[in-house]
Amino acid sequence: MPGLIAKQPNGLYCRISTVVEAPTHHDMTKEELEYYLINTRSLDINLVTLDDWLAFYEVDFSEAIKQLGSACSTFEETREWLVEVGYQHADVFMKKIAYRWDEWEEEE
């Protein structure tokens, strides 16, 4: 699974793709996350519980969002998503990674 699972500041879960540099799933409850992981064959509940899986694979949200970039979403879309999920430092964080969008826009 080329992506990171993290708990959003609002207590729900997200998956941030390391390929498209954007959240592909967000605001998932624990049950929805389990369903997603089972369907993507990332979790076999016969071998491990979701809590055990999360203890091993879950990434801190502040680390997961470092994967965000311009490959699939605009600067504003990314910022809005961070605000929607309750990330308190969205504006400061986006200023730090703004260069990712500037470089992309220059290439076009």
Side-chain angles (χ1 to χ4, degrees):
M1 176 178 58
L4 305 172
I5 300 293
K7 186 181 278 189
Q8 302 167 171
N10 64 8
L12 299 173
Y13 292 89
C14 66
R15 177 185 179 273
I16 296 178
S17 171
T18 56
V19 175
V20 300
E21 302 175 332
T24 57
H25 298 76
H26 57 90
D27 293 332
M28 291 185 287
T29 64
K30 210 169 185 180
E31 293 78 21
E32 291 168 328
L33 174 61
E34 183 176 60
Y35 180 79
Y36 168 77
L37 293 172
I38 290 169
N39 283 325
T40 59
R41 300 179 189 250
S42 298
L43 172 66
D44 183 343
I45 57 173
N46 295 316
L47 301 176
V48 64
T49 66
L50 177 60
D51 287 331
D52 289 340
W53 189 96
L54 286 169
F56 191 78
Y57 291 109
E58 182 181 356
V59 176
D60 185 80
F61 187 76
S62 61
E63 289 299 311
I65 62 175
K66 290 179 182 177
Q67 298 298 316
L68 298 173
S70 63
C72 193
S73 60
T74 66
F75 181 90
E76 191 56 35
E77 288 170 335
T78 300
R79 188 194 153 286
E80 285 177 15
W81 176 73
L82 288 171
V83 170
E84 284 175 16
V85 300
Y87 187 58
Q88 299 275 327
H89 310 288
D91 289 327
V92 172
F93 176 76
M94 291 306 292
K95 284 179 186 174
K96 287 181 183 177
I97 67 167
Y99 69 91
R100 295 180 188 171
W101 281 267
D102 292 339
E103 290 175 355
W104 177 71
E105 290 173 359
E106 289 173 8
E107 291 175 8
E108 288 188 356

